Amino acid sequence: QVQLQESGPGLVKPSQTLSLTCTVSGGSINSGDFYWSWIRQPPGKGLEWIGYIFHSGSTYYNPSLKSRITISLDTSKNQFSLNLTSVTAADTALYYCARSGYSLAYWFDPWGQGTRVTVSS
Amino acid sequence: EIVLTQSPGTLSLSPGERATLSCRASQSGSSTYLAWYQHRPGQAPRLLIYGASNRATGISDRFSGSVSGTDFTLIISRLEPEDFAVYYCQQYGSLPWTFGQGTKVEIK
């Protein structure tokens, strides 16, 4: 069964770039028509979908973050990554990666355990 | 963007009671393209329901989902101790995919 695991620095300084990686195990990131997403949860708040990358490499980013986001794929490592530029305290959150299916099966399953990122000097 | 409004914000119930959670979509584009998740502290969110009313693999039949127009409902028929958590709805019928703000089901 497919499992996802996030990794990355827990602390990022304001104005810098937040970089996270999601490692996929139990299946190839390149097989099947899956969408690979990033989702975040700021402290005390709800879930916010950040964006996805399709196995072909095409992407869609949430317009609320679009100007600062890049999601990329590394099929050789079975990973996908998130870069978020010019971070502020508002980007402090628990970041999750998750998989969605195809043909309108766009619910998220499975999810990673999440990685906490704090933006602070 | 489709906005999902969940109510109530908090539901205080006792084990064994029935929980009724609501999720209202701002537009009709979400049709039946709605999922429900359970989120316990320190754990990854878990898919409960997809397609508004289909239980995910391994999910107890105590959980059921329904839809009427733009109003979606999640019912937990008899609350077990492990059911006390936060529940989110998510629409995937229209980009950007969006979540509701969550309903916390707490022990009364």
Side-chain angles (χ1 to χ4, degrees):
Chain A
Q1 107 202 25
V2 171
Q3 294 184 313
L4 288 74
Q5 179 66 59
E6 306 86 350
S7 59
L11 181 64
V12 181
K13 288 182 168 50
S15 80
Q16 293 191 342
T17 296
L18 180 162
S19 296
L20 298 175
T21 296
C22 181
T23 300
V24 179
S25 59
S28 171
I29 202 168
N30 217 17
S31 69
D33 294 335
F34 292 113
Y35 295 82
W36 305 94
S37 284
W38 288 97
I39 298 154
R40 70 181 184 178
Q41 183 180 30
K45 296 187 177 181
L47 299 168
E48 179 183 30
W49 178 63
I50 296 170
Y52 71 59
I53 187 164
F54 195 45
H55 74 95
S56 65
S58 64
T59 56
Y60 180 92
Y61 302 143
N62 192 320
S64 66
L65 297 165
K66 185 176 181 179
S67 64
R68 299 194 291 130
I69 299 171
T70 303
I71 299 177
S72 58
L73 208 55
D74 187 338
T75 55
S76 67
K77 295 181 179 179
N78 225 32
Q79 295 175 335
F80 64 105
S81 298
L82 168 69
N83 273 7
L84 179 64
T85 62
S86 305
V87 298
T88 69
D91 296 308
T92 293
L94 190 54
Y95 285 78
Y96 294 98
C97 56
R99 187 186 75 173
S100 295
Y102 55 94
S103 296
L104 294 173
Y106 302 142
W107 53 86
F108 301 112
D109 183 49
W111 297 59
Q113 288 296 311
T115 187
R116 192 167 302 279
V117 177
T118 300
V119 178
S120 174
S121 55
Chain B
E1 170 175 322
I2 294 177
V3 176
L4 298 177
T5 302
Q6 291 188 241
S7 61
T10 302
L11 205 46
S12 298
L13 295 167
S14 301
E17 289 193 297
R18 175 186 176 103
T20 302
L21 288 68
S22 175
C23 174
R24 173 167 289 177
S26 62
Q27 303 170 28
S28 61
S30 50
S31 185
T32 60
Y33 303 133
L34 188 116
W36 288 94
Y37 302 87
Q38 179 190 67
H39 195 190
R40 297 177 184 140
Q43 297 186 17
R46 179 171 72 141
L47 175 69
L48 297 175
I49 300 285
Y50 63 91
S53 61
N54 301 289
R55 271 188 299 277
T57 302
I59 299 303
S60 168
D61 60 6
R62 294 183 295 101
F63 293 90
S64 63
S66 63
V67 56
S68 176
T70 58
D71 290 335
F72 299 84
T73 302
L74 174 70
I75 290 177
I76 311 171
S77 58
R78 298 172 311 279
L79 284 165
E80 297 285 341
E82 62 269 23
D83 299 335
F84 292 92
V86 180
Y87 293 82
Y88 293 95
C89 56
Q90 176 235 339
Q91 68 80 21
Y92 50 90
S94 173
L95 286 168
W97 300 333
T98 51
F99 291 92
Q101 80 278 21
T103 290
K104 182 179 182 180
V105 179
E106 64 176 23
I107 299 177
K108 186 174 181 180

